[in-house]
Amino acid sequence: MSRPALSPEQEAVFAAIETTREHIFVTGRAGTGKSTLLEHLAGNTSKQLAVCAPTGVAALNVGGQTIHSLFRLPIGVIADHEIEQSAELKKLLNTIDTLVVDEVSMVNADLLDAMDRSLRQARQRPHESFGGVQLVLFGDPFQLAPVPGDGDERAYFADRYRSMWFFDAKVWDEAELVIYELGTIHRQHERDFTSLLNAVRYGMVTAEMAGRLNSVGARPAPSDGAITLATTNATVNRINAAALGRLPGRALTAVADIEGDFGGRAFPADERLELKPGAQVMFLRNDAGGEGRWVNGTIGEVVRIADTVTVEVDGERHEVQPATWERYRYSYSPVTKQLTKDVVAEFTQFPLRLAWAVTIHKSQGKSYDRAIVDLGQRSFAPGQTYVALSRLTTLDGLYLTRPLRPSDIIVDENVRRFMSGVKPIPGIEA
């Protein structure tokens, strides 16, 4: 499949990663091409590179491993507990030149400090941050926050850290993190909409801006082809089940084929996928055939179900085959003395999900031409409203179930503080 060419700013950040040993945080608004840059880095670096992410699904999406599984760390607060390491793990951690962490905004400060201690210990470089490994972080703190634990965990963070965020980890007291923010939007091309989204991102929405969003969004929602972005799983499940139930006939179920250890139930698609002709579905992967017939997030309608599923997208019918997601594990090869990436589990299922509705959280990274944004009684997480609105490619595709209120736009003050330290991208005019 042909990969999109990098923009000049993406090229410049890639060069900064490739030619320095600096710890780098790559951020940017929704749709600025962070994922494209990460994919390019993973496929083109000359360094021994490992990719990890905080959750199973995020790790699958970037062909990496979860942080806990890569470092063999226990779940929960690690604090100053002793970190046990096998000889095999030490060899593995000694082989890495550059460690990439995707969706780093979901990584808490304690986990980042545990990664730092693990690398120092394994590489026997106690006085060097991350044991001399270059850390490259990708994510947007304006979109996703770390998930707070129980009361004891919250008290621990309040007592020990300035905040739960990765950028308040103790390791940054002695190591510098260079922040590069990608600025070119590849998803939206309307200047008016881009500036509105920027205002929502930074929590700087004026009454006039809110009025503009609300006046556009306050239209009867279309009855076909639009997806509802909701705040809770309960709302999404209710909408999808009711819509499927209204279709004639009985549902057919496609059961996923799972081989190997998938580590819990962090599956990239439904284990049991119920479909009927007429069902509105969303693709969960780009077209594997390389023909670009659909991308991750494309909405279509099921026409026929047999060994394959026929889905109609914009008047064209496509036969969809099951897709296989591979779960990887890094290991050290004593023969080549290099990192190897082995497949340890496979999940095969049609790359489709019922899509009359999806949670805002699961819509992360997707693009939609039209969507109904349902914030329920209230938006309850920092960045949630921004994520929902920024999925849309045009302002004209926005439908709101209720008007936006000032309380829906929540920005974490710690994020504002950290993001004030953005550096200009080398060789790119601001």
Side-chain angles (χ1 to χ4, degrees), residues 54-282:
T55 67
V57 171
L60 279 175
N61 288 340
V62 290
Q65 214 174 324
T66 65
I67 295 167
H68 285 87
S69 135
L70 177 64
F71 284 89
R72 319 287 196 267
L73 290 170
I75 300 296
V77 168
I78 295 145
D80 291 328
H81 304 324
E82 198 172 311
I83 294 173
E84 290 179 22
Q85 294 177 325
S86 65
E88 179 200 14
L89 177 60
K90 286 178 185 170
K91 276 185 181 158
L92 169 64
L93 297 181
N94 268 284
T95 313
I96 299 170
D97 297 325
T98 298
L99 179 66
V100 174
V101 185
D102 194 29
E103 299 291 19
V104 71
S105 62
M106 296 173 74
V107 175
N108 67 46
D110 175 74
L111 181 54
L112 199 82
D113 278 338
M115 292 162 69
D116 171 49
R117 282 199 294 130
S118 294
L119 287 164
R120 291 185 199 224
Q121 182 177 307
R123 296 164 70 93
Q124 296 183 316
R125 297 190 194 180
H127 305 299
E128 220 174 323
S129 60
F130 301 103
V133 168
Q134 178 189 31
L135 215 65
V136 179
L137 314 174
F138 282 81
D140 181 8
F142 285 106
Q143 291 188 59
L144 284 175
V147 179
D150 58 22
D152 286 347
E153 271 192 31
R154 289 176 199 227
Y156 166 80
F157 278 103
D159 186 48
R160 187 179 172 97
Y161 289 104
R162 186 167 180 181
S163 80
M164 274 188 74
W165 289 91
F166 72 93
F167 49 75
D168 282 329
K170 303 291 186 197
V171 63
W172 302 124
D173 293 344
E174 58 185 275
E176 191 188 351
L177 181 62
V178 181
I179 312 168
Y180 291 130
E181 184 167 20
L182 298 173
T184 307
I185 301 271
H186 303 282
R187 181 177 294 144
Q188 293 94 9
H189 300 287
E190 301 171 337
R191 187 162 289 179
D192 175 33
F193 189 31
T194 301
S195 61
L196 286 171
L197 289 175
N198 231 13
V200 174
R201 172 181 165 88
Y202 293 108
M204 316 276 280
V205 177
T206 63
E208 186 186 351
M209 289 171 170
R212 176 101 173 89
L213 288 165
N214 283 330
S215 64
V216 170
R219 297 167 290 163
S223 57
D224 64 313
I227 188 168
T228 296
L229 308 181
T231 52
T232 65
N233 279 312
T235 303
V236 166
N237 293 340
R238 190 181 69 245
I239 292 170
N240 283 333
L244 189 68
R246 283 194 294 270
L247 293 174
R250 65 185 181 86
L252 295 171
T253 304
V255 180
D257 181 27
I258 304 165
E259 290 183 23
D261 174 19
F262 234 83
R265 304 189 63 78
F267 299 138
D270 292 340
E271 188 178 356
R272 297 176 63 81
L273 174 64
E274 292 199 343
L275 295 175
K276 289 181 185 179
Q280 182 165 296
V281 290
M282 177 174 74

